[in-house]
Amino acid sequence: MDDSMDSVPDKETGIELYKQLSQLWASAGMHARKWLSNVLEVLEHIPHADCVTEVDLDRGELPVVKTLGVLWTSNEDEFKYQVHLPSRDHCSTKRAFLKGIATLFDPLGFLSPYVIRAKIILQEMWESGVDWDDLVEESLSRKAQEWLSELPRLCVPRCLRTELGVKKITLHTFTDASQQAYGAATYSRHLYEDGSVTCRLVASKSRVAPLQAVSIPRLELMAAVVGLRLAEAVGNILNLPKHEWLFWSDSVDVLYWIRGRSRKFKPFVANSVGEIQSLTDPEQWRHMPTKQNPADLLTRGLSVCTLIDEESWWNGPAFLMQEETGWPEKEVGIKKEANTEVRKQYQEYSPERSFISFHNDRRSLGSDQVLLLD
C-alpha cells in the first residue's frame, strides 16, 4: 500500500474523511497510519499513535513529508523541491546524465520550463550517435553540467484558492510549440463573491519535438492535443464541467483547423482535430498573442533562477486577472499553411463556391449527382 494525498474544502470535511476511510479500511482488515494534515484541528481527532511521528501538537509543529518524490511542508502548505547535486561524472555519458535527470521528480510539471532543457540535451546526445556508456562531446557535457548545477531548491504553494467564497471556477489551458519542444500549461481561475480574482498553475506537460522534420503548425496542433488531454485530466480531478474549460493558442492555423470539418484535412490533421472536436466545442478555443502565452516558456526553457520570478508562469497571463471583456480577441482566418493540409479533392473547389450533393434512384440515373452553386 502506497501513500495517499487528498484535499478537502474545510476541516469538518477533513475529519469526516478520516473517519470514513478508517472505517472502510478496517472493514478490509487494514489499518492506516502516518496521518498528517496542515490543520491542527484535524490532527486532534486522530490518535497520536496513528499520526506521523514528527507531529507535535503541543508546539504546533508539523513535519516535512515526502510523497511520490515531492516534499510537502505541512506548516507552510507548500510543495518543495530539494535535490542533492550529482557529481560531475553525471555529465560524461548518456546513461549518467539520464540518471542525474531522474533525481528530479516533477509529476505536476511545475518545473517544465527547466526540465525541458534536460530533455533537449538528452535528445542531442541521442542524435550524436554515442552509446550509453561512451563519452559525449565536450559541448554536450558542458550543457549537462550547467543544467545539473541548477537543480532546484524552491517551494511552490499547494493551495489553488483562498478561503473567500468562490463564485465561478474556470480552467484555462495554454498551448505552444517551437522547433525543439511543444506542450501545454493549465491554470485554474477563481472568481470570488467580492469580485476579486486569483489564478494559479495546476499542471503542465512538455515534450521534445520529434527528430524527423515536422512543420511548426503541425507541432502546434500536437501541443493542442497535449493541452486537451491535460485539461481533461485536471478537469475531471477538480470536478469542473467541460463548458468551463477554455483553451488558448497563438497559432491561427490550429484554430482554423479546429473550426473546420476534420474529414476535409489530411490524415495527420484530421485525426488530431477529430479528437479535439469530440471532447470540446470549437468556440472554447481562442487566440492570444505569443508574448502573453505562458506555454511559450516551456518550449524554449528557463533557468531555475529566472523561473522562480516568472510571474506569468506561476499565475498565468495578466489578462486573466481582468474581466472577460478585456481578454484577447481575434477573428480566425485562412492562412496559406493551413490550406496545405486540405485534402486534394477539397482543393479542387474554389473557396467562393459552395456545393450540395444528393443521391438519385440508381434505377433512373445510375449515379450520384452533384449540383454546383455559384
Side-chain angles (χ1 to χ4, degrees), residues 99-172:
K99 184 178 179 180
I101 296 174
T103 61
L104 177 61
F105 186 57
D106 181 32
L108 294 177
F110 289 141
L111 307 180
S112 285
Y114 170 68
V115 174
I116 193 63
R117 291 169 52 206
K119 295 180 181 179
I120 293 173
I121 295 172
L122 188 62
Q123 187 183 59
E124 291 176 352
M125 290 182 176
W126 275 98
E127 286 185 283
S128 67
V130 298
D131 289 332
W132 280 103
D133 297 309
D134 290 344
L135 296 177
V136 299
E137 299 175 4
E138 181 63 26
S139 60
L140 290 176
S141 180
R142 283 198 302 270
K143 286 183 181 180
Q145 177 62 31
E146 180 182 354
W147 184 86
L148 288 169
S149 66
E150 298 175 14
L151 277 176
R153 295 176 181 268
L154 55 86
C155 297
V156 180
R158 180 203 60 83
C159 191
L160 299 178
R161 61 179 176 85
T162 66
E163 295 180 357
L164 297 173
V166 178
K167 182 178 180 181
K168 184 179 181 181
I169 304 175
T170 51
L171 203 65
H172 296 259

Side-chain angles (χ1 to χ4, degrees), residues 42 52 63 70 111 129 135 184 198 233 274 291 296 313 316 326 361:
V42 175
V52 174
V70 180
L111 307 180
L135 296 177
T198 60
K291 292 182 178 181
D296 179 61
W313 174 251
D361 192 333

Side-chain angles (χ1 to χ4, degrees), residues 55-124:
V55 169
D56 190 338
L57 294 178
D58 296 330
R59 296 183 179 180
E61 295 180 356
L62 300 176
V64 177
V65 295
K66 189 173 184 180
T67 302
L68 297 177
V70 180
L71 294 174
W72 177 47
T73 57
S74 46
N75 262 336
E76 294 80 14
D77 196 15
E78 294 178 331
F79 290 125
K80 188 175 182 181
Y81 294 87
Q82 187 170 352
V83 184
H84 296 293
L85 184 64
S87 65
R88 184 176 294 272
D89 293 338
H90 278 83
C91 309
S92 58
T93 67
K94 188 165 61 178
R95 187 190 304 276
F97 182 54
L98 182 58
K99 184 178 179 180
I101 296 174
T103 61
L104 177 61
F105 186 57
D106 181 32
L108 294 177
F110 289 141
L111 307 180
S112 285
Y114 170 68
V115 174
I116 193 63
R117 291 169 52 206
K119 295 180 181 179
I120 293 173
I121 295 172
L122 188 62
Q123 187 183 59
E124 291 176 352

Side-chain angles (χ1 to χ4, degrees), residues 228-242:
L228 172 70
R229 296 171 181 174
L230 180 64
E232 185 178 22
V234 172
N236 291 337
I237 291 173
L238 297 182
N239 294 319
L240 292 179
K242 288 185 179 180

Side-chain angles (χ1 to χ4, degrees), residues 93-329:
T93 67
K94 188 165 61 178
R95 187 190 304 276
F97 182 54
L98 182 58
K99 184 178 179 180
I101 296 174
T103 61
L104 177 61
F105 186 57
D106 181 32
L108 294 177
F110 289 141
L111 307 180
S112 285
Y114 170 68
V115 174
I116 193 63
R117 291 169 52 206
K119 295 180 181 179
I120 293 173
I121 295 172
L122 188 62
Q123 187 183 59
E124 291 176 352
M125 290 182 176
W126 275 98
E127 286 185 283
S128 67
V130 298
D131 289 332
W132 280 103
D133 297 309
D134 290 344
L135 296 177
V136 299
E137 299 175 4
E138 181 63 26
S139 60
L140 290 176
S141 180
R142 283 198 302 270
K143 286 183 181 180
Q145 177 62 31
E146 180 182 354
W147 184 86
L148 288 169
S149 66
E150 298 175 14
L151 277 176
R153 295 176 181 268
L154 55 86
C155 297
V156 180
R158 180 203 60 83
C159 191
L160 299 178
R161 61 179 176 85
T162 66
E163 295 180 357
L164 297 173
V166 178
K167 182 178 180 181
K168 184 179 181 181
I169 304 175
T170 51
L171 203 65
H172 296 259
T173 300
F174 298 84
T175 68
D176 195 29
S178 68
Q179 289 286 6
Q180 291 185 310
Y182 63 96
T186 296
Y187 298 78
S188 64
R189 180 181 185 271
H190 293 77
L191 174 63
Y192 299 96
E193 297 290 350
D194 63 356
S196 61
V197 176
T198 60
C199 189
R200 279 285 317 282
L201 174 67
V202 181
S204 74
K205 185 72 175 178
S206 64
R207 294 178 179 173
V208 291
L211 291 176
Q212 64 270 28
V214 180
S215 67
I216 289 294
R218 284 195 172 197
L219 286 171
E220 294 274 11
L221 183 59
M222 293 164 66
V225 173
V226 170
L228 172 70
R229 296 171 181 174
L230 180 64
E232 185 178 22
V234 172
N236 291 337
I237 291 173
L238 297 182
N239 294 319
L240 292 179
K242 288 185 179 180
H243 67 268
E244 299 293 358
W245 304 355
L246 286 177
F247 299 84
W248 299 86
S249 173
D250 54 24
S251 172
V252 175
D253 297 327
V254 169
L255 297 177
Y256 167 72
W257 291 334
I258 292 174
R259 283 163 170 75
R261 291 181 296 173
S262 60
R263 64 183 181 183
K264 85 172 190 176
F265 300 116
K266 295 178 181 178
F268 181 91
V269 173
N271 293 336
S272 299
V273 170
E275 180 178 350
I276 292 172
Q277 292 178 341
S278 67
L279 294 174
T280 60
D281 188 297
E283 293 304 316
Q284 292 176 263
W285 292 79
R286 303 187 180 187
H287 182 270
M288 68 173 302
T290 301
K291 292 182 178 181
Q292 298 180 6
N293 191 350
D296 179 61
L297 301 174
L298 61 79
T299 66
R300 53 188 175 88
L302 290 177
S303 66
V304 173
C305 294
T306 305
L307 180 62
I308 292 173
D309 299 322
E310 188 59 58
E311 190 72 17
S312 64
W313 174 251
W314 301 111
N315 299 316
F319 69 78
L320 286 182
M321 305 300 291
Q322 305 172 8
E323 295 184 0
E324 189 168 350
T325 53
W327 294 357
E329 290 185 7

